[in-house]
Amino acid sequence: MSVIEAEKLTRKFGDFEALKGVSLSVEKGEFFGLLGPNGAGKTTLVRILTGQLEPSSGKASTMGTGPEDPIGIKRKIGIVPEAESPPTFLTAREFLELVCRIRQVPDAGSKVAHWLDFFQISEKKDVLCRDLSKGQRQKVMLAAAFIHEPELLILDEPFINLDPIFQKRLREYLWSVTASGRTVFMCSHILEIVEKLCTRVAVINQGRIVAQGKLDEIRQNEGEGLEDIFMRLVEGDGENGGEGRKGS
Amino acid sequence: MGRNGPSVHWPLFKAMLREEWRLHKSFVGAVGSGFFPVVIFLFSFVLAATSPVLLRKLDMSLVLLVLHLSAVLYGLGVGALAQIGEQVMTRRLGSVNMLLQLPVLQPVSFRSMMGIFYVKDAVFYILYSIIPLVGGIAAAIPVTKITPAGAGLLFVTVLITFMMGMALSFLLSALMLRSKAAAGALALFVVALVLLVRPLGVLVPGQVLLPLGYWETHDILYLLSGTALALLLSAAAVLLMKERFAPPERRYASALLDTEKRFTFSGGLSTLVAKEWLELRRSGALGPVFTGFLGPLLGIYAVIWIFRSGLGMPLEFNVVFYGGILGFLGLMTYSWLTNIEPNEFLNVQPVGVDQVVRAKLVLYFLLTTPVSLVYLVVIGILNREYAYLPLAALVGLSTMVYVAAVTGRMTGLRANTMLFDAAVLGRFSAAIVPPLIVCTLASFMLRTAFWPASAVLAALSAGLLVASGRLLAGIGPRWARSPFGI
C-alpha cells in the first residue's frame, strides 16, 4: 500500500522550474531516502508532499490526501522542516503542549515529559525556544514531529545540528518506527546515514528523479557505495533527467 | 572595524541600502514598494494645493507645528534600531538574516555596523517618505503662494526634526540594552519637556522642536542646534552599543494550559488565543500595543481640545464622533499583534493562517474593547453627553468589528507590510473611508437633527456588522492555504 504517490509533479517559481515531472511512490513500512545536491528540488518536493506548497501540475497524494487539503495531510503525518523554527516566545515544554492540543494527543502530559526526557532537554523545558541552542531547537522540532506517533514521518535533514550521541539515538528510534510498520521519508545529505537506514532511495537532480529503487538495484558495480552512486548520478548523467534509472 | 575607513564603510552602506530595499520588496513587491512614496507625494500635493482654502480657517503656525510634530513622531517610530541590532546579533529575528550580523563572524565592529545601519535607515526613510512629502508641497508651488525658498526651508526643518526624533529613539533603544532605569529617566525627561510646553506653557514648541523655532524666530541657531543635537544623540547611541551580546536564557513556568482555560469562551480557538496572549506578554509588546491604541485616542482628544479651547474654534466633536474613530484607530493594534511571531513552526502543524488570524482578532477585541468603552464613558462625562453614550458605544463597537474584519480579511497576518502595498492600501481605504465619513457627518448632525442622525448611525452600525460577518467568513477561503512566515 502506497503512503506517498507523486505523478509527473512540476513546480515553477516564476521562470524557474524547480520540479520537472517528478514521479515516485513510497510503500507503507519503508524507510525511504531522498538524495540530491543543493538546489535539486528536495525541499520543494517535501513541501508539496506535506501540503505546504501546491504543485504547478501533476498529482500528489500523502496518506491518501492531496495537496488541496493541506490541513488534512498535516494532521496525518509528522514533519521536521529543513530549518528549525520553534516559536520564539514559548518554552520548549509549552511548544510541545501546544502541538498536543492542536493534534488532540491523549495523555499529553506524559508524552511531553517522555520526549523532553528522550532528547535530554528536560533541564531546558522552561527556557524560551529562542534562547535554546540550535541543536536543542532541532530536538524540540523532532519531538514535535514524533509526539503524536504518526503513521508517516517526513523528515528534511533531521540529523542536522545533532551531536553523534543523538544522531545514534535518532537512528535507533527511526529504525523502531519502521520496524513497527510505520513509514519514514527522509531527505539527507549524510550519505552514510542514508546507506545505513534506508530500504529504498531516490536521487533527485535539477528537478528530476534520476534514479530510484533499492540500493542494490541502482548499484552498477559490486561494492559501489552510495557516495559513488550519488556522484555518478549527479555529476555524470544527471542532466539527462527524465525517468532516470528505476529500481523495483 | 575601528581601523577600517570609508573604503569599507561605503560598500557596506550601499549593500545595506540594497538589502533594505529588497526587504521591502519581499514584503509587498516592487510595485507596491515603489508606489508608497508616490502615494505620499500625491497626498501632500493635494493638501498643499488646497492649502489656500484650508489656511483661511487654520493658523500657519499650527500647520507648521503639526508637520514638525509628525516628523519627530515618525523619526521616533523608525529609530529604535538598537533593539533590532540586538535581536539580529542574538539570532532572534525569525528567519531573517541581515548584513548587520556580519560582526558575529567577520572582523568588523558591531558599533561601526550600527552606525552605518543607522545612516542607511535615515537615508532610506528620507528618500522613501520625507522627500516625497516635501516634494508634493513643492509641486504645488505654481498653484499656491508657497515659494521655492519656503519649500526648501521646510525640507530642511522637517528633515532635521525627523533626524532628532530618530536619534532620540535610537538613543533610548540603546540605553534600554544597558540600563532600563537610564532609558526610563531619559524618557521621563522628554515627557517633562513636552509638559513644559503644554499644558504648563513655560516653553514654546520651538524651544523643544528646535527646527520649528527657526520658523518662529528666523534665528539660524535653531537649525544648527537641532542638527548638533541629532548628531550628538545618534553618536551617543552608537557608542552605547555593546560589541558582544551574551546569549540570554529566559525561563517561564509552563503557562499555556492554564492560560487556555481563561479563553475557553473562544471555543476551538482557545489554545491559539492563549498562545497569542503569552507571546504578546513575553515579547514586551503589550505596552506598545496599549500605547499604540490609547496614544492616538488621547492625541485626537488633545488636538481637538487645543483647537476648541486654545484656539477658540467652535468645533462640535461629540462622543459619537469619538466612537466612530475608535475602530479606525484599532488598526494599529491589530498590526502590532501580527508583528510579534512569524509562526513558521505552524507550517508543519495542522493549523491554517485563517485560524491564527481569528485568534488574533479575539485578542484584539479583548484588548481594545475595555479601553474603548472606558474612553467613551470618560469623554461622555467630560462633554456631559450622557444621552449619546449608548449610540457612541454601538458606533464604536461596530466600527471596531468592521475595521478589524476588513484588516484581517485583506492583510491576514501581514497587516504592517501589506498596507504598504498601494493596491491593498487603495482597497482598504475604499472600504474604510466612506463609512468613516458617513459616521463623522452623522455625528455632527446629532445636535440639530437627533432622530434622523441616530437612525443613520444605527443603520450604518447594522450595515457594518453585517458586512463584518461576511468579511470574517471570507477569512477562511482567503487565508487557509497561505504559508506562515514573514
Side-chain angles (χ1 to χ4, degrees):
Chain A
M1 178 191 142
S2 295
V3 290
I4 293 176
E5 284 278 5
E7 197 183 326
K8 295 179 183 168
L9 277 183
T10 68
R11 174 67 209 199
K12 286 184 179 175
F13 296 100
D15 292 334
F16 174 68
E17 203 172 6
L19 295 182
K20 301 167 183 169
V22 166
S23 298
L24 61 77
S25 76
V26 178
E27 300 299 311
K28 183 174 168 20
E30 275 191 327
F31 201 130
F32 191 91
L34 181 66
L35 307 174
N38 294 331
K42 298 188 297 295
T43 298
T44 302
L45 179 57
V46 165
R47 289 180 68 201
I48 290 173
L49 296 177
T50 54
Q52 297 178 65
L53 196 63
E54 285 185 83
S56 301
S57 67
K59 287 182 187 168
S61 160
T62 305
M63 299 291 289
T65 306
E68 68 282 354
D69 180 10
I71 302 285
I73 293 180
K74 291 172 194 174
R75 195 170 284 132
K76 291 175 180 172
I77 65 177
I79 311 161
V80 174
E82 185 189 28
E84 37 76 22
S85 57
T88 317
F89 297 108
L90 295 188
T91 65
R93 180 177 160 190
E94 285 171 341
F95 176 41
L96 295 183
E97 286 171 348
L98 175 74
V99 172
C100 287
R101 296 291 296 148
I102 288 170
R103 293 182 175 275
Q104 299 172 329
V105 176
D107 196 17
S110 65
K111 284 184 176 154
V112 169
H114 166 76
W115 284 105
L116 289 170
D117 188 47
F118 180 90
F119 284 112
Q120 293 182 5
I121 47 174
S122 300
E123 173 65 20
K124 298 282 182 185
K125 69 177 189 289
D126 292 331
V127 176
L128 287 188
C129 289
R130 75 173 185 181
D131 295 341
L132 295 173
S133 72
K134 279 197 164 200
Q136 288 161 347
R137 288 205 288 255
Q138 178 69 357
K139 289 175 183 176
V140 173
M141 294 304 288
L142 287 163
F146 300 160
I147 203 160
H148 58 294
E149 297 173 3
E151 283 299 309
L152 170 63
L153 284 169
I154 298 187
L155 316 172
D156 199 348
E157 297 291 352
F159 294 93
I160 205 157
N161 294 319
L162 295 184
D163 63 40
I165 298 167
F166 278 95
Q167 287 195 9
K168 182 167 181 282
R169 266 197 121 169
L170 181 58
R171 275 201 316 261
E172 287 167 357
Y173 172 72
L174 295 177
W175 254 322
S176 75
V177 167
T178 49
S180 67
R182 294 190 282 149
T183 313
V184 177
F185 179 102
M186 179 179 76
C187 294
S188 180
H189 283 301
I190 310 174
L191 298 179
E192 187 192 347
I193 289 179
V194 174
E195 197 161 15
K196 273 185 188 166
L197 291 176
C198 296
T199 49
R200 222 154 57 86
V201 297
V203 180
I204 187 169
N205 190 29
Q206 296 182 8
R208 291 191 173 93
I209 298 286
V210 292
Q212 69 173 301
K214 291 180 180 167
L215 276 178
D216 286 343
E217 294 166 347
I218 57 174
R219 196 170 270 143
Q220 273 189 345
N221 312 305
E222 189 76 23
E224 190 183 35
L226 185 56
E227 186 175 315
D228 302 319
I229 297 170
F230 181 82
M231 299 306 280
R232 169 169 53 79
L233 290 168
V234 170
E235 287 192 328
D237 55 3
E239 289 188 19
N240 294 340
E243 291 299 306
R245 286 182 183 77
K246 284 252 178 169
S248 59
Chain B
M1 204 172 62
R3 284 182 291 276
N4 294 326
S7 63
V8 172
H9 293 174
W10 178 240
L12 276 173
F13 169 79
K14 284 195 293 184
M16 279 187 182
L17 203 56
R18 266 199 305 273
E19 181 183 61
E20 181 73 36
W21 174 243
R22 286 173 186 168
L23 196 65
H24 269 254
K25 276 202 302 184
S26 73
F27 291 147
V28 294
V31 175
S33 297
F35 215 64
F36 183 74
V38 176
V39 170
I40 295 203
F41 176 88
L42 292 174
F43 182 73
S44 73
F45 171 75
V46 170
L47 274 183
T50 54
S51 63
V53 180
L54 291 172
L55 285 172
R56 276 186 221 147
K57 296 264 183 188
L58 293 173
D59 186 50
M60 190 61 193
S61 63
L62 188 70
V63 174
L64 286 169
L65 174 65
V66 170
L67 258 177
H68 287 79
L69 206 54
S70 306
V72 79
L73 288 174
Y74 186 44
L76 281 168
V78 300
L81 302 178
Q83 305 288 339
I84 296 171
E86 191 254 353
Q87 286 174 1
V88 169
M89 287 293 276
T90 53
R91 295 167 188 270
R92 285 189 276 137
L93 209 66
S95 59
V96 177
N97 292 305
M98 301 172 85
L99 284 170
L100 197 54
Q101 218 171 319
L102 273 181
V104 172
L105 297 174
Q106 302 300 333
V108 288
S109 94
F110 183 59
R111 211 165 270 154
S112 303
M113 286 296 281
M114 277 306 295
I116 300 167
F117 192 77
Y118 174 75
V119 174
K120 176 270 300 176
D121 248 32
V123 169
F124 183 82
Y125 283 105
I126 289 166
L127 291 171
Y128 204 58
S129 319
I130 305 289
I131 287 180
L133 179 83
V134 182
I137 295 171
I141 286 172
V143 293
T144 59
K145 288 180 182 169
I146 300 168
T147 62
L153 193 58
L154 185 68
F155 173 68
V156 172
T157 59
V158 166
L159 177 67
I160 299 171
T161 311
F162 167 75
M163 290 306 303
M164 280 172 58
M166 204 174 156
L168 176 63
S169 182
F170 185 22
L171 180 60
L172 276 168
S173 66
L175 267 177
M176 277 287 283
L177 295 180
R178 295 272 183 176
S179 156
K180 286 186 177 158
L186 179 60
L188 278 177
F189 175 72
V190 175
V191 170
L193 277 179
V194 173
L195 291 175
L196 284 173
V197 177
R198 284 261 202 284
L200 297 176
V202 176
L203 298 174
V204 295
Q207 287 171 316
V208 177
L209 287 173
L210 295 169
L212 184 65
Y214 177 81
W215 290 99
E216 292 166 357
T217 63
H218 295 287
D219 185 347
I220 200 162
L221 203 60
Y222 280 95
L223 297 183
L224 295 175
S225 52
T227 308
L229 188 64
L231 290 173
L232 199 70
L233 295 180
S234 43
V238 169
L239 288 174
L240 276 169
M241 293 308 300
K242 293 189 216 170
E243 280 302 323
R244 280 183 288 273
F245 294 92
E249 190 175 283
R250 288 166 64 188
R251 286 176 179 263
Y252 292 93
S254 180
L256 182 78
L257 302 181
D258 285 339
T259 309
E260 186 189 16
K261 286 176 195 156
R262 286 200 251 157
F263 296 114
T264 45
F265 63 87
S266 58
L269 291 173
S270 59
T271 311
L272 290 174
V273 178
K275 165 193 160 299
E276 294 294 326
W277 171 244
L278 289 178
E279 288 172 342
L280 177 66
R281 282 182 53 197
R282 291 174 184 174
S283 63
L286 190 55
V289 163
F290 262 118
T291 47
F293 184 56
L294 198 56
L297 290 178
L298 296 177
I300 284 178
Y301 186 77
V303 167
I304 291 172
W305 181 81
I306 290 168
F307 271 79
R308 198 156 51 185
S309 307
L311 303 170
M313 298 175 85
L315 299 174
E316 295 292 333
F317 292 106
N318 57 43
V319 67
V320 178
F321 164 79
Y322 289 98
I325 58 167
L326 272 174
F328 300 101
L329 293 177
L331 167 66
M332 285 291 289
T333 308
Y334 180 77
S335 179
W336 259 105
L337 292 178
T338 59
N339 205 23
I340 295 168
E341 162 69 59
N343 283 315
E344 283 167 326
F345 62 97
L346 289 177
N347 278 322
V348 295
Q349 299 298 336
V351 174
V353 167
D354 57 316
Q355 290 168 279
V356 178
V357 170
R358 289 198 181 95
K360 284 185 191 293
L361 288 175
V362 170
L363 199 55
Y364 161 82
F365 290 122
L366 289 175
L367 290 169
T368 54
T369 306
V371 177
S372 304
L373 290 176
V374 169
Y375 179 77
L376 287 179
V377 168
V378 169
I379 288 184
I381 292 169
L382 286 174
N383 289 1
R384 294 179 187 167
E385 293 170 333
Y386 312 109
Y388 289 172
L389 272 176
L391 194 57
L394 173 68
V395 169
L397 291 176
S398 58
T399 52
M400 278 171 59
V401 173
Y402 177 69
V403 175
V406 171
T407 315
R409 171 72 174 74
M410 287 190 183
T411 67
L413 298 177
R414 296 173 182 177
N416 62 330
T417 52
M418 285 191 77
L419 287 176
F420 278 96
D421 183 330
V424 177
L425 185 61
R427 284 200 300 275
F428 182 83
S429 304
I432 297 295
V433 174
L436 180 61
I437 290 172
V438 172
C439 179
T440 305
L441 293 176
S443 75
F444 289 160
M445 287 166 54
L446 275 170
R447 210 169 286 274
T448 52
F450 180 79
W451 289 112
S454 297
V456 169
L457 287 164
L460 177 71
S461 299
L464 291 181
L465 289 173
V466 170
S468 304
R470 297 189 65 170
L471 286 162
L472 289 170
I475 286 173
R478 172 67 181 84
W479 294 106
R481 294 167 81 172
S482 296
F484 290 95
I486 50 178

